[in-house]
Amino acid sequence: MSFAIHGLAVSRGIAIGRAVLAASSHVDVAHYFIEPDQVEAEIERVRQGRNAVVEELLRLQAEMPADAPPEISALLDVHLMLLQDEALGNGIKHWIRQRLYNGEWALTTQLEVLARQFDEMEDDYLRERKADLEQVVERILRHMKGAPHPVAAPARAARRQTAQDLLLDDSADVPLVLLAHDLSPADMLQFKQSVFAGFVTDVGGKTSHTAIIARSMDIPAVVGARTASQLVRQDDWVIIDGDAGVLIVDPSPIILAEYGFHQRQSALERERLARLRHTPAVTLDGEAIELLANIEQPADAAAAVQAGAMGVGLFRSEFLFMGRGGKLPGEDEQYRAYCAALEGMQGLPLTIRTVDVGADKPLDKAFKDDHLNPALGLRAIRWSLADPAMFRTQLRAVLRAARHGPVKLLFPMLAHVHEIEQTLAQVDLARAELDARGVPYGAVQLGAMIEVPAAALTVDTFLRYFDFLSIGTNDLIQYTLAIDRADETVAHLYDPLHPAVLRLVADVIAAGHAHGKSVSLCGETAGDVAMTRLLLGLGLRSFSMHPAQILAVKQEVLRADTRRLAPWAQQVLTGEAVATLPAT
Ligand code: PEP
Ligand code: MG
């Protein structure tokens, strides 16, 4: 029976497909399709992983000291029994044969199916065996990780099919949507190359990094859907409505037809917007507006230029540091990555933000920050300044790359003058180190993110030290309103239009103009078309956003008259006018 689950709309569009439930495994699992002729080899690969675990457990049992508690041996028996269980083995074969999932994916999919059955058992003892099953599967996954891996077949792009096609076509080739309790930004990055046509998570807020990456992938996503990953079953048909923040499970033919219509409408809208790609972003009264892109990986740079960006206003370099088991990239590796991004830019400017890990962007799952208030803890520039050698490795790599194209260097989360001074001293030291090694480097402009209220309130000081500023509204809102941006339970209080937030944004823009320095805005509000006119009215002339949003924002710019918007925006600031302007 059809039902709907409501969450937060974080990435627009509609996805229709079968649900894949991500298991809560602690081992990173690759998701790709194998070729039909690889099926038997893949089943054999899983069998070998399982056999290795059986041998390991038998060895453990044999080596058990005579005085070991009998419960341990009994537990190993349970694990051995689960490993031989047909429900596990047959299920895995089913996912590999019918769906062409790779072995690890088949294993975690079947784990999820069986875990549900355990959850529904009346008997406490049996119900608790779920944890044993999870441990056993994790052991197999670890063995498979160490074992030689066939080259992953290139991920088939998830086909955006229409609802009508889906009614007719129930083959293995239907789009898949991923449902998970939570996905880390590093997981999301892995999925960037993958097959999923949409995402849903139980937790997360609108500007959580998981949501941000879904938007950068331009695929429909809903976060904060609370119990979705428990209510939906593996392989259920679902619709993700990324505009309304709704997940529809087991939709009826009428609902499917309705969503098929919406899908076609939004495809038409995209085609219409594509015509604006070469149109300069100039307002009706002749103000040129800079529309820049936010990117996460070097490979995104070329796509950003292709999407019509005049440069990159925010390269979140931390994604080069994540999902590597804590092993950080060295100077040469980073240098190559920045050069690759510059190559994609074709001479347009690239703003590289120094690493911003911490809070909801852990380096790796194993490094999840368990401090009480990670968002207020050792993240971003604080993390960099706590390890100056690591920080200078990044600075040297950026400075060297700057010989190959226009680079701006941006520092996240500065709040104190002494942090500014230490940061700039590290830049000088990095240059001195390169000089000492005789390594050439290029000129960079230096900028600060204004994303802590303290920075916004002392913006004149920042303007004395830096060449440019970039307002990070995601964090500025989080810290001004004391709302955890990743927590769905307070998402309704996360308000970009709060007068306190608008006041800080307006003052930073005005201060930048007064000092003749450029101020950009790179938080999610820059790509929100409902905010474009207000930000233009407040004097903003540079917006940095997901490439997929650029043309929609450009359309707003082309329709705007800043002479008319400026007095209205001042009234919004003082509460004399509402933030929604009648359409022009
Ligand atoms: C911001 O805080 O607005 C920002 C752009 O940085 P991030 O989202 O990476 O914290
Ligand atoms: Mg930020």
Side-chain angles (χ1 to χ4, degrees):
M1 212 194 53
S2 167
F3 62 98
I5 301 170
H6 292 259
L8 301 167
V10 293
S11 185
R12 65 187 184 164
I14 289 160
I16 305 175
R18 286 197 183 271
V20 172
L21 291 165
S24 46
S25 161
H26 299 301
V27 181
D28 279 332
V29 172
H31 297 77
Y32 57 90
F33 290 112
I34 56 167
E35 295 300 327
D37 62 1
Q38 295 173 319
V39 162
E40 293 312 315
E42 198 64 9
I43 292 176
E44 182 54 29
R45 213 165 62 81
V46 181
R47 203 192 331 265
Q48 280 174 12
R50 191 201 61 179
N51 289 349
V53 178
V54 170
E55 274 172 35
E56 187 179 81
L57 296 184
L58 288 173
R59 202 173 46 247
L60 277 175
Q61 234 173 10
E63 290 167 3
M64 191 109 64
D67 57 350
E71 291 84 357
I72 297 189
S73 179
L75 200 68
L76 289 178
D77 279 338
V78 170
H79 283 201
L80 282 164
M81 202 182 69
L82 288 169
L83 279 168
Q84 323 280 355
D85 187 30
E86 284 196 346
L88 184 62
N90 290 341
I92 293 167
K93 284 184 207 150
H94 163 83
W95 296 113
I96 297 178
R97 288 208 170 106
Q98 306 301 319
R99 285 297 165 81
L100 300 178
Y101 288 2
N102 65 306
E104 289 86 346
W105 186 2
L107 198 56
T108 50
T109 302
Q110 188 56 16
L111 166 65
E112 202 57 46
V113 170
L114 296 176
R116 288 293 170 85
Q117 294 173 6
F118 278 108
D119 280 342
E120 282 162 13
M121 285 175 182
E122 297 276 311
D123 184 297
D124 282 352
Y125 173 81
L126 287 178
R127 215 175 31 245
E128 280 158 20
R129 298 288 64 79
K130 180 176 123 178
D132 294 305
L133 181 69
E134 284 169 351
Q135 285 170 19
V136 160
V137 167
E138 217 162 295
R139 270 180 191 271
I140 304 179
L141 287 172
R142 283 188 205 284
H143 270 280
M144 289 175 71
K145 213 173 180 184
H149 214 271
V151 179
R156 258 184 280 163
R159 279 207 278 143
R160 279 184 198 243
Q161 286 173 305
T162 65
Q164 225 55 39
D165 295 335
L166 293 174
L167 285 172
L168 300 171
D169 171 14
D170 199 15
S171 68
D173 210 14
V174 296
L176 300 170
V177 302
L178 187 70
L179 270 91
H181 176 69
D182 193 8
L183 289 170
S184 71
D187 289 334
M188 290 291 289
L189 212 59
Q190 188 196 337
F191 294 138
K192 211 164 175 169
Q193 330 312 338
S194 82
V195 293
F196 298 112
F199 295 94
V200 178
T201 58
D202 294 346
V203 300
K206 274 198 174 202
T207 55
S208 62
H209 285 91
T210 304
I212 288 176
I213 298 192
R215 269 196 290 279
S216 83
M217 291 160 75
D218 196 21
I219 62 171
V222 172
V223 304
R226 312 279 170 107
T227 49
S229 75
Q230 288 163 39
L231 296 175
V232 179
R233 289 174 180 272
Q234 197 73 251
D235 234 25
D236 275 349
W237 276 104
V238 294
I239 298 175
I240 299 179
D241 181 342
D243 299 306
V246 178
L247 173 72
I248 300 168
V249 186
D250 199 10
S252 66
I254 294 177
I255 297 180
L256 271 176
E258 176 72 18
Y259 274 93
F261 173 73
H262 286 311
Q263 266 186 329
R264 283 191 296 279
Q265 291 293 103
S266 56
L268 285 176
E269 172 67 11
R270 278 173 202 240
E271 275 170 32
R272 209 174 49 73
L273 280 178
R275 293 188 212 129
L276 296 181
R277 176 156 137 52
H278 298 290
T279 311
V282 179
T283 61
L284 292 173
D285 55 318
E287 288 280 332
I289 308 300
E290 188 178 45
L291 300 181
L292 306 170
N294 292 353
I295 64 170
E296 280 90 33
Q297 287 176 311
D300 300 337
V305 174
Q306 181 62 26
M310 296 309 296
V312 160
L314 174 65
F315 173 8
R316 290 185 162 98
S317 70
E318 53 273 17
F319 286 92
L320 299 173
F321 290 64
M322 286 169 10
R324 310 166 48 107
K327 191 177 164 298
L328 304 183
E331 181 181 321
D332 286 343
E333 185 182 342
Q334 288 191 57
Y335 167 69
R336 283 193 299 274
Y338 303 139
C339 287
L342 274 172
E343 206 178 307
M345 296 305 299
Q346 299 169 25
L348 294 170
L350 172 72
T351 309
I352 302 173
R353 180 178 69 183
T354 60
V355 61
D356 178 4
V357 292
D360 73 328
K361 272 183 293 194
L363 268 186
D364 205 83
K365 275 193 195 131
F367 291 75
K368 207 164 166 66
D369 193 339
D370 55 6
H371 288 97
L372 277 182
N373 284 308
L376 303 181
L378 195 69
R379 63 168 286 207
I381 197 72
R382 303 170 182 180
W383 194 74
S384 295
L385 291 176
D387 187 348
M390 182 273 302
F391 186 34
R392 285 200 309 281
T393 301
Q394 176 166 39
L395 296 175
R396 288 192 305 270
V398 174
L399 291 167
R400 283 171 56 191
R403 280 182 70 230
H404 306 291
V407 170
K408 294 171 154 194
L409 189 49
L410 182 61
F411 301 100
M413 261 196 92
L414 288 163
H416 301 263
V417 173
H418 60 79
E419 283 174 328
I420 298 176
E421 287 173 346
Q422 281 176 55
T423 300
L424 299 181
Q426 290 299 319
V427 177
D428 287 341
L429 205 51
R431 286 197 187 104
E433 285 169 344
L434 290 172
D435 284 335
R437 275 167 40 195
V439 175
Y441 54 89
V444 291
Q445 278 192 36
L446 300 177
M449 291 210 49
I450 302 296
E451 52 182 348
V452 179
L457 292 165
T458 54
V459 63
D460 288 325
T461 308
F462 278 72
L463 284 161
R464 276 207 304 279
Y465 285 96
F466 290 101
D467 304 314
F468 70 99
L469 302 178
S470 188
I471 308 176
T473 40
N474 304 338
D475 280 313
L476 189 61
I477 298 169
Q478 150 164 280
Y479 295 126
T480 304
L481 302 180
I483 301 299
D484 184 341
R485 62 193 266 192
D487 184 347
E488 71 283 3
T489 60
V490 288
H492 60 292
L493 298 172
Y494 190 93
D495 181 9
L497 292 172
H498 190 291
V501 173
L502 291 181
R503 168 56 59 204
L504 293 178
V505 170
D507 288 353
V508 172
I509 297 170
H513 287 175
H515 284 73
K517 292 194 173 168
S518 119
V519 176
S520 192
L521 192 151
C522 61
E524 296 301 291
T525 47
D528 179 353
V529 288
M531 293 293 292
T532 311
R533 283 181 294 176
L534 182 58
L535 292 170
L536 287 170
L538 293 176
L540 190 70
R541 297 293 178 262
S542 174
F543 297 63
S544 191
M545 67 202 86
H546 299 294
Q549 280 304 104
I550 288 180
L551 297 183
V553 171
K554 193 188 276 186
Q555 177 168 266
E556 289 298 309
V557 167
L558 297 175
R559 292 172 179 166
D561 182 337
T562 61
R563 288 166 310 188
R564 191 172 155 248
L565 292 173
W568 162 73
Q570 288 308 313
Q571 286 177 340
V572 173
L573 267 185
T574 54
E576 292 161 68
V578 285
T580 43
L581 184 74
T584 42

